[in-house]
Amino acid sequence: MTAEQSGSRSRGRSRSRSRSPSAVAQSFYTRWATLYDALARRAPGVGSVRTEAADALALDPGETVVEMGCGTGANLPYLAERVGPEGSVVGVDFSPGVLDVARERTREFPQVHLVRGDATRPPVARDLDASPAAVLATFVSGMFDDPAAVISSWADLVGPDGRLCLVDLAETTDSRWRPLNPAFRALVRVTAPPGSRTMRASPTKLLNRRLVAAHRALESRCRVTHETTHALGFARVRAGVVA
């Protein structure tokens, strides 16, 4: 290797280290958008979970629903079918790559609108005459540094009688399937964005803490109306109506 090549590699590593965690995560999810889309559509039982989550929001035709962290848009058709052509579905995600996939998926649904933005500060305003009726978040609660604050802000966005639904993956507590938890922990480590994989603390322990905080926040702000587990206990669906 020449001195010039060595210097180029060093500068590349330096630029990578200097990038913000958000920029690193966006690049990561953009790079792997196609793989995540395949998992989102083809993982065993995922279709029934998405149907249940959409049903748990009890959407009426004409309402507006926001999906925070919509990813490649696997949930958006389910939501669009429930609000109908007179309703509105807003998908928010910070990664341009996954939004490109979502746009292709929702071409036949003109009521779907995709916005690049941060789910912790969603570019969706509350309006007394046209506030979103509901918020859905699937497999994103574990990404937030302060999930309780984020979920509480979503409750403020939809207001009293608005609906929230969280769908998350965590280690199973079902004794029959606990032997599979090590495989789940390995999956979490492999699919985590760069930086979180190399933490001294287990990425799965961090995920578990954040999910507990998120779901407790939902329970503290809402009257829980729906609570189930799926996929051998690894998937959790919890929905409620804001008090």
Side-chain angles (χ1 to χ4, degrees):
M1 180 185 298
T2 66
E4 183 178 352
Q5 288 172 325
S6 178
S8 177
R9 285 194 175 187
S10 297
R11 287 192 296 271
R13 286 193 295 268
S14 177
R15 284 194 298 268
S16 178
R17 285 194 296 269
S18 66
R19 296 168 68 195
S20 70
S22 176
V24 171
Q26 289 180 47
S27 176
F28 175 79
Y29 288 115
T30 293
R31 186 181 307 117
W32 296 104
T34 303
L35 175 60
Y36 271 87
D37 184 56
L39 292 172
R41 290 184 294 112
R42 299 173 184 172
V46 71
S48 62
V49 172
R50 297 188 190 283
T51 297
E52 184 172 327
D55 289 342
L57 288 171
L59 296 167
D60 289 325
E63 289 190 315
T64 296
V65 56
V66 180
E67 182 176 8
M68 303 295 186
C70 66
T72 56
N75 289 314
L76 299 176
Y78 294 85
L79 301 175
E81 289 168 358
R82 283 157 180 77
V83 301
E86 65 272 35
S88 183
V89 179
V90 180
V92 178
D93 204 283
F94 73 165
S95 174
V98 298
L99 286 175
D100 288 341
V101 178
R103 287 189 185 91
E104 288 298 316
R105 167 162 290 128
T106 57
R107 277 185 172 183
E108 63 185 272
F109 298 101
Q111 67 270 51
V112 173
H113 311 281
L114 299 174
V115 181
R116 185 181 178 191
D118 187 341
T120 67
R121 296 184 299 276
V124 182
R126 184 182 177 195
D127 186 287
L128 293 178
D129 297 321
S131 295
V135 165
L136 171 65
T138 303
F139 311 138
V140 297
S141 300
M143 298 176 65
F144 305 133
D145 291 333
D146 188 355
V150 175
I151 275 62
S152 186
S153 73
W154 295 347
D156 291 337
L157 176 65
V158 299
D161 297 325
R163 285 91 71 197
L164 301 181
C165 181
L166 302 179
V167 181
D168 288 300
L169 293 174
E171 289 181 293
T172 184
T173 58
D174 189 321
S175 59
R176 296 170 296 173
W177 305 112
R178 281 179 181 167
L180 297 178
N181 278 336
F184 177 80
R185 290 193 289 270
L187 179 65
V188 170
R189 183 173 292 277
V190 169
T191 58
S196 56
R197 298 181 202 160
T198 57
M199 296 181 306
R200 292 181 181 178
S202 162
T204 306
K205 288 182 178 179
L206 176 62
L207 174 67
N208 290 342
R209 287 197 299 272
R210 288 177 171 178
L211 296 189
V212 167
H215 285 253
R216 283 180 177 171
L218 184 148
E219 292 172 349
S220 72
R221 295 295 306 271
C222 298
R223 171 175 55 85
V224 175
T225 57
H226 191 93
E227 196 168 11
T228 58
T229 61
H230 300 267
L232 312 181
F234 288 99
R236 292 158 173 77
V237 180
R238 182 173 279 113
V241 177
V242 177

XYZ file of all heavy atoms in Angstrom, residues 12-54:
329
model
N -10.790 8.627 5.194
C -12.129 8.041 5.100
C -12.642 7.611 6.459
O -13.803 7.834 6.813
N -11.728 6.975 7.263
C -12.151 6.551 8.600
C -12.452 7.753 9.475
O -13.378 7.754 10.271
C -11.066 5.679 9.234
C -10.967 4.284 8.657
C -10.112 3.398 9.540
N -8.726 3.858 9.580
C -7.780 3.428 8.764
N -8.068 2.545 7.821
N -6.531 3.881 8.876
N -11.662 8.817 9.309
C -11.877 10.032 10.091
C -13.213 10.659 9.764
O -13.960 11.088 10.643
C -10.744 11.024 9.833
O -10.966 12.229 10.529
N -13.556 10.707 8.462
C -14.850 11.267 8.066
C -15.977 10.438 8.632
O -16.999 10.962 9.074
C -14.952 11.337 6.539
C -14.147 12.475 5.926
C -14.574 12.684 4.480
N -14.306 11.511 3.663
C -13.169 11.338 2.987
N -12.200 12.240 3.075
N -12.993 10.260 2.251
N -15.834 9.094 8.630
C -16.881 8.221 9.153
C -17.094 8.464 10.635
O -18.219 8.518 11.115
C -16.497 6.757 8.903
O -17.467 5.898 9.447
N -15.945 8.646 11.385
C -16.065 8.860 12.822
C -16.685 10.209 13.126
O -17.324 10.397 14.152
C -14.690 8.747 13.477
C -14.177 7.319 13.607
C -12.991 7.292 14.558
N -11.864 8.054 14.021
C -10.909 7.522 13.281
N -10.939 6.244 12.964
N -9.906 8.282 12.845
N -16.481 11.194 12.234
C -16.969 12.548 12.492
C -18.444 12.708 12.149
O -19.049 13.707 12.521
C -16.141 13.562 11.691
O -16.355 13.392 10.298
N -19.027 11.769 11.456
C -20.440 11.872 11.103
C -21.309 11.687 12.331
O -20.975 10.932 13.236
C -20.799 10.828 10.046
C -20.081 11.033 8.731
C -20.226 9.834 7.838
N -21.601 9.674 7.380
C -22.059 8.548 6.824
N -21.272 7.503 6.703
N -23.297 8.477 6.418
N -22.446 12.365 12.360
C -23.349 12.247 13.501
C -23.999 10.869 13.518
O -24.114 10.215 12.469
C -24.438 13.316 13.413
O -25.322 13.027 12.334
N -24.450 10.390 14.698
C -25.144 9.103 14.761
C -26.350 9.052 13.830
O -26.634 8.022 13.225
C -25.560 9.006 16.238
C -24.552 9.839 16.960
C -24.241 10.971 16.032
N -27.059 10.182 13.709
C -28.226 10.220 12.830
C -27.829 10.017 11.377
O -28.470 9.257 10.637
C -28.960 11.556 12.984
O -30.036 11.650 12.080
N -26.740 10.681 10.950
C -26.287 10.538 9.569
C -25.823 9.113 9.291
O -26.088 8.559 8.220
C -25.161 11.529 9.284
N -25.137 8.505 10.259
C -24.687 7.121 10.100
C -25.879 6.187 9.955
O -25.911 5.293 9.106
C -23.804 6.700 11.296
C -23.514 5.204 11.243
C -22.494 7.484 11.286
N -26.899 6.386 10.799
C -28.085 5.528 10.752
C -28.829 5.692 9.439
O -29.292 4.710 8.839
C -29.007 5.846 11.934
N -28.969 6.940 8.959
C -29.650 7.162 7.689
C -28.930 6.436 6.553
O -29.572 5.804 5.701
C -29.713 8.659 7.396
C -30.661 9.424 8.296
C -30.675 10.897 7.964
O -30.770 11.272 6.795
N -30.569 11.747 8.965
N -27.620 6.547 6.529
C -26.841 5.878 5.490
C -26.992 4.369 5.581
O -27.140 3.682 4.560
C -25.364 6.272 5.629
O -24.565 5.580 4.701
N -26.995 3.851 6.810
C -27.119 2.408 7.026
C -28.451 1.886 6.496
O -28.507 0.915 5.741
C -26.983 2.107 8.518
C -27.215 0.668 8.890
C -26.232 -0.289 8.699
C -28.430 0.261 9.425
C -26.439 -1.618 9.041
C -28.651 -1.063 9.768
C -27.657 -2.008 9.575
N -29.555 2.545 6.887
C -30.872 2.068 6.463
C -31.111 2.284 4.970
O -31.838 1.509 4.342
C -31.966 2.732 7.300
C -31.998 2.215 8.710
C -31.712 3.046 9.785
C -32.289 0.880 8.968
C -31.715 2.558 11.089
C -32.310 0.390 10.263
C -32.021 1.230 11.321
O -32.024 0.751 12.606
N -30.511 3.321 4.400
C -30.603 3.514 2.952
C -29.891 2.380 2.221
O -30.406 1.818 1.249
C -29.994 4.870 2.557
O -30.813 5.924 3.078
C -29.901 5.000 1.045
N -28.695 2.013 2.713
C -27.908 0.968 2.064
C -28.625 -0.374 2.085
O -28.569 -1.146 1.130
C -26.548 0.848 2.762
C -25.593 -0.130 2.070
C -24.278 -0.223 2.826
N -23.690 1.087 3.056
C -23.491 1.602 4.270
N -23.840 0.940 5.348
N -22.945 2.790 4.394
N -29.318 -0.657 3.191
C -29.951 -1.959 3.358
C -31.466 -1.908 3.177
O -32.183 -2.780 3.642
C -29.616 -2.525 4.743
C -28.157 -2.787 4.911
C -27.256 -2.049 5.614
C -27.401 -3.863 4.326
N -26.005 -2.583 5.521
C -26.057 -3.698 4.736
C -27.747 -4.937 3.498
C -25.060 -4.579 4.344
C -26.730 -5.802 3.114
C -25.416 -5.622 3.535
N -31.966 -0.889 2.484
C -33.411 -0.707 2.338
C -34.089 -1.925 1.700
O -35.158 -2.356 2.133
C -33.701 0.548 1.507
N -33.478 -2.487 0.668
C -34.090 -3.622 -0.027
C -34.178 -4.842 0.871
O -35.205 -5.545 0.896
C -33.283 -3.967 -1.297
O -33.217 -2.814 -2.142
C -33.949 -5.102 -2.056
N -33.119 -5.099 1.653
C -33.143 -6.233 2.570
C -34.193 -6.032 3.657
O -34.963 -6.954 3.979
C -31.762 -6.420 3.209
C -31.667 -7.506 4.295
C -32.044 -8.868 3.727
C -30.262 -7.537 4.892
N -34.261 -4.830 4.226
C -35.258 -4.571 5.261
C -36.666 -4.711 4.697
O -37.584 -5.180 5.378
C -35.059 -3.168 5.848
C -34.099 -3.153 7.011
C -32.735 -3.030 6.804
C -34.546 -3.294 8.316
C -31.838 -3.031 7.856
C -33.659 -3.297 9.379
C -32.305 -3.161 9.147
O -31.429 -3.172 10.198
N -36.839 -4.296 3.448
C -38.158 -4.426 2.828
C -38.555 -5.891 2.691
O -39.703 -6.262 2.946
C -38.150 -3.745 1.458
C -39.520 -3.773 0.802
O -40.480 -3.292 1.422
O -39.627 -4.317 -0.313
N -37.594 -6.735 2.293
C -37.885 -8.165 2.166
C -38.273 -8.766 3.513
O -39.240 -9.544 3.614
C -36.667 -8.891 1.595
N -37.558 -8.397 4.567
C -37.904 -8.886 5.903
C -39.266 -8.365 6.337
O -40.064 -9.090 6.938
C -36.833 -8.446 6.913
C -35.452 -9.095 6.762
C -34.460 -8.427 7.701
C -35.531 -10.595 7.048
N -39.547 -7.103 6.034
C -40.806 -6.489 6.440
C -42.002 -7.163 5.792
O -43.092 -7.234 6.367
C -40.794 -4.999 6.090
N -41.804 -7.683 4.582
C -42.925 -8.276 3.854
C -43.030 -9.784 4.029
O -44.128 -10.338 3.963
C -42.791 -7.951 2.365
C -43.027 -6.483 2.028
C -42.987 -6.222 0.538
N -41.652 -6.458 -0.022
C -41.352 -7.437 -0.857
N -42.277 -8.304 -1.210
N -40.121 -7.559 -1.336
N -41.891 -10.456 4.256
C -41.894 -11.917 4.158
C -41.615 -12.649 5.461
O -41.681 -13.878 5.495
C -40.857 -12.347 3.113
C -41.183 -11.798 1.724
C -40.070 -12.091 0.737
N -40.340 -11.481 -0.560
C -39.480 -11.439 -1.567
N -38.265 -11.977 -1.400
N -39.793 -10.861 -2.702
N -41.292 -11.933 6.518
C -41.052 -12.614 7.796
C -42.326 -13.338 8.225
O -43.437 -12.825 8.042
C -40.636 -11.609 8.856
N -42.198 -14.541 8.775
C -43.390 -15.328 9.155
C -44.310 -14.556 10.109
O -43.858 -14.024 11.124
C -42.783 -16.551 9.855
C -41.408 -16.668 9.288
C -40.949 -15.266 9.044
N -45.584 -14.481 9.742
C -46.588 -13.872 10.609
C -46.642 -12.357 10.586
O -47.516 -11.766 11.216
N -45.743 -11.711 9.837
C -45.699 -10.254 9.894
C -46.956 -9.625 9.295
O -47.414 -8.574 9.745
C -44.426 -9.720 9.204
C -44.498 -9.899 7.690
C -44.181 -8.269 9.573
N -47.541 -10.275 8.296
C -48.759 -9.726 7.694
C -49.905 -9.652 8.686
O -50.638 -8.647 8.732
N -50.073 -10.673 9.503
C -51.158 -10.673 10.486
C -50.931 -9.615 11.556
O -51.877 -9.002 12.053
C -51.297 -12.059 11.129
O -50.122 -12.413 11.831
N -49.652 -9.360 11.906
C -49.347 -8.320 12.891
C -49.700 -6.950 12.334
O -50.288 -6.110 13.037
C -47.855 -8.370 13.285
C -47.480 -7.172 14.149
C -47.551 -9.656 14.039
N -49.394 -6.714 11.075
C -49.697 -5.416 10.470
C -51.210 -5.219 10.355
O -51.715 -4.115 10.583
C -49.018 -5.298 9.104
C -47.504 -5.344 9.191
C -46.845 -5.042 7.854
N -45.413 -5.317 7.901
C -44.507 -4.538 8.476
N -44.905 -3.419 9.065
N -43.227 -4.856 8.466
N -51.926 -6.275 10.001
C -53.387 -6.183 9.939
C -53.954 -5.851 11.310
O -54.837 -4.986 11.453
C -53.979 -7.511 9.434
O -53.525 -7.754 8.107
C -55.496 -7.479 9.454
N -53.445 -6.523 12.334
C -53.947 -6.300 13.681
C -53.653 -4.887 14.164
O -54.489 -4.252 14.802
C -53.338 -7.318 14.644
C -53.899 -7.205 16.053
C -53.439 -8.345 16.943
O -53.249 -9.462 16.436
O -53.271 -8.108 18.141
N -52.475 -4.396 13.859
C -52.117 -3.040 14.282
C -53.031 -2.010 13.625
O -53.511 -1.076 14.283
C -50.664 -2.749 13.931
N -53.278 -2.168 12.327
C -54.173 -1.241 11.636
C -55.584 -1.321 12.214
O -56.249 -0.292 12.410
C -54.184 -1.545 10.146
